[in-house]
Amino acid sequence: MKTQNEDKDREFSQLIDRYDKLIAKVCYFYAVDADDFYDLRQESLINLWRGFDSFRGSSSLSTWVYRVCLNSCVSFFRKNHRKTSSVPIEQLPDVIAPDAGKAELMREMYGLINRLNRQEKALVLLWLDQRSYDEIADIMGVPRNTVASRLRRVKEKLVKYSNE
């Protein structure tokens, strides 16, 4: 007979298996180097575990995972008083594994995104993941109209960066 803890362990393991790429993607966007990536991933997993029992389903599970991971990454840097800076993407783990034809464009895009502040990165990450404005607003805790205006400004900033 399984215990309640074994059921929780199994459910949490299934959650991590299901959302592993999402967790890695969020951590990847915030990582300065490979060590940061692994630290951020570990911090996110710990926070997901701590909050697992309190998830009540008021949002979708993927929205909750996004929110916990984004908050974990931002809090990690705030807590450790560290600033992020741009690094060559080759130094980070290969999370997305793009095909050879898109690899250079992906490097350039991530290089531009890496120049954004943490909130802007989160916004772009969610938008690139094809989340609706309502979902992004829910995850980031801001009104929908704020998402639209901030996203417009971030897109303009990325175009400016790409023309430099």
Side-chain angles (χ1 to χ4, degrees):
M1 187 159 113
K2 288 186 180 183
T3 67
Q4 190 174 9
N5 283 341
E6 288 173 329
D7 287 342
K8 179 183 175 186
D9 291 349
R10 181 183 43 75
E11 289 175 20
F12 185 75
S13 181
Q14 290 172 345
L15 171 95
I16 299 308
D17 288 345
R18 182 174 178 190
Y19 293 106
D20 188 54
K21 288 187 189 237
L22 183 148
I23 295 164
K25 186 177 5 177
V26 172
C27 296
Y28 180 81
F29 263 84
Y30 282 89
V32 174
D33 55 29
D35 289 337
D36 270 353
F37 172 80
Y38 294 115
D39 289 345
L40 290 170
R41 189 172 188 286
Q42 185 68 29
E43 191 75 20
S44 295
L45 292 173
I46 289 168
N47 290 330
L48 286 165
W49 175 255
R50 286 180 180 155
F52 190 60
D53 287 335
S54 63
F55 176 69
R56 299 286 178 244
S58 60
S59 63
S60 73
L61 196 52
S62 66
T63 297
W64 178 76
V65 170
Y66 251 119
R67 183 180 294 145
V68 170
C69 291
L70 287 170
N71 288 336
S72 297
C73 291
V74 170
S75 295
F76 177 82
F77 287 104
R78 198 177 289 144
K79 180 172 54 179
N80 293 300
H81 305 291
R82 294 167 54 182
K83 291 198 175 240
T84 58
S85 60
S86 296
V87 296
I89 200 153
E90 296 82 17
Q91 292 181 6
L92 296 174
D94 188 18
V95 175
I96 298 175
D99 66 45
K102 295 181 181 177
E104 188 56 38
L105 289 174
M106 295 293 288
R107 275 189 203 73
E108 182 178 340
M109 180 183 74
Y110 283 120
L112 294 172
I113 291 169
N114 201 30
R115 295 173 63 183
L116 300 172
N117 70 41
R118 292 181 189 119
Q119 292 295 321
E120 292 168 336
K121 282 182 187 181
L123 186 63
V124 169
L125 172 66
L126 293 164
W127 180 75
L128 287 174
D129 210 22
Q130 299 179 346
R131 298 292 177 148
S132 70
Y133 282 16
D134 290 329
E135 262 186 300
I136 295 171
D138 185 37
I139 291 168
M140 296 189 69
V142 297
R144 185 187 190 285
N145 290 341
T146 302
V147 169
S149 63
R150 285 182 184 172
L151 190 55
R152 181 182 42 76
R153 284 192 299 260
V154 168
K155 287 177 186 177
E156 289 169 357
K157 189 184 276 190
L158 287 171
V159 168
K160 179 183 159 207
Y161 289 164
S162 70
N163 291 328
E164 290 179 351

